[in-house]
Amino acid sequence: EPEVTQTPSHQVTQMGQEVILRCVPISNHLYFYWYRQILGQKVEFLVSFYNNEISEKSEIFDDQFSVERPDGSNFTLKIRSTKLEDSAMYFCASWGRDTGELFFGEGSRLTVL
Amino acid sequence: AQKVTQAQTEISVVEKEDVTLDCVYETRDTTYYLFWYKQPPSGELVFLIRRNSFDEQNEISGRYSWNFQKSTSSFNFTITASQVVDSAVYFCALSEAFTGGGNKLTFGTGTQLKVEL
């Protein structure tokens, strides 16, 4: 079964540091997403990405965040200067029009100290 | 704006009991999709079902069944003969029809299901 893979599974960082979370979406998918889940809360949409540009972003996705598809296979989320409140599980997802299913990765847990 | 409400924060049942998880949604779209995801303690999101707004037929998959009622804007999920392995947080989610932005999901707050022996 196709899967979305994310690295790292867990990252601990100091406040103010830059973090890059990586995702490899399913190979023939064209739509990619980042979602965030603060511990014990619901999953929240951050950003969608299509055709090498952001198609939609939420108010959470401020200037500290950026996304990139640097090489045609990886899809990255960068947080420029992490804050304590960025501690969360970050899920990457990709969507295929053929099945209509949104496939999520296993998540990257970010802990900001 | 879209909204998903899962009023049940936590449900505890004894193994083999049936349990229904409620989901009520709000949307102005006439075409939309509804989803259920399972989040076990390990943290990943496991896809369970996707249903489009034109298909009100109930669906059964093994011990799982879903009841979609457009008239009450509800998409409830029933687990028959629950098992300990069903213990997880279950999320209901809603997305607008594909408009070029793909499927942006709006999630509910989740229902924690605990199945005990």
Side-chain angles (χ1 to χ4, degrees), chain A residues 30-35 45-50 55-56 93-104, chain B residues 2 29 31-35 37 47 49-52 93-107:
Chain A
L30 300 176
Y31 297 86
F32 315 116
Y33 307 82
W34 284 100
Y35 285 79
F45 168 79
L46 288 179
V47 65
S48 59
F49 191 86
Y50 169 70
S55 48
E56 192 170 354
S94 72
W95 186 72
R97 293 184 79 163
D98 48 351
T99 65
E101 181 181 333
L102 190 65
F103 287 86
F104 282 89
Chain B
Q2 301 186 324
D29 296 328
T31 304
Y32 50 89
Y33 296 95
L34 293 161
F35 299 77
Y37 283 87
F47 169 84
I49 191 170
R50 170 185 181 258
R51 172 69 66 183
N52 78 54
L94 166 70
S95 79
E96 62 190 16
F98 175 73
T99 58
N103 266 337
K104 180 187 101 174
L105 265 60
T106 298
F107 282 81

Side-chain angles (χ1 to χ4, degrees), chain A residues 25-85:
Chain A
I26 292 169
S27 60
N28 62 345
H29 285 186
L30 300 176
Y31 297 86
F32 315 116
Y33 307 82
W34 284 100
Y35 285 79
R36 178 182 85 174
Q37 184 183 31
I38 293 170
L39 187 63
Q41 298 187 22
K42 68 178 178 181
V43 180
E44 300 173 291
F45 168 79
L46 288 179
V47 65
S48 59
F49 191 86
Y50 169 70
N51 201 24
N52 279 322
E53 60 183 26
I54 290 173
S55 48
E56 192 170 354
K57 60 183 180 179
S58 72
E59 30 196 60
I60 302 169
F61 194 88
D62 61 23
D63 293 343
Q64 296 284 27
F65 292 91
S66 62
V67 289
E68 202 174 40
R69 190 157 158 81
D71 56 13
S73 63
N74 288 287
F75 178 51
T76 62
L77 174 69
K78 183 194 287 187
I79 308 174
R80 241 177 292 282
S81 176
T82 49
K83 301 177 236 179
L84 294 176
E85 53 265 37

Side-chain angles (χ1 to χ4, degrees), chain B residues 54-78:
Chain B
F54 293 111
D55 183 1
E56 284 194 75
Q57 273 196 324
N58 290 335
E59 176 146 347
I60 298 174
S61 175
R63 296 184 296 109
Y64 296 168
S65 62
W66 290 269
N67 184 303
F68 176 29
Q69 294 202 337
K70 229 168 165 177
S71 59
T72 55
S73 297
S74 65
F75 186 44
N76 296 338
F77 172 34
T78 297

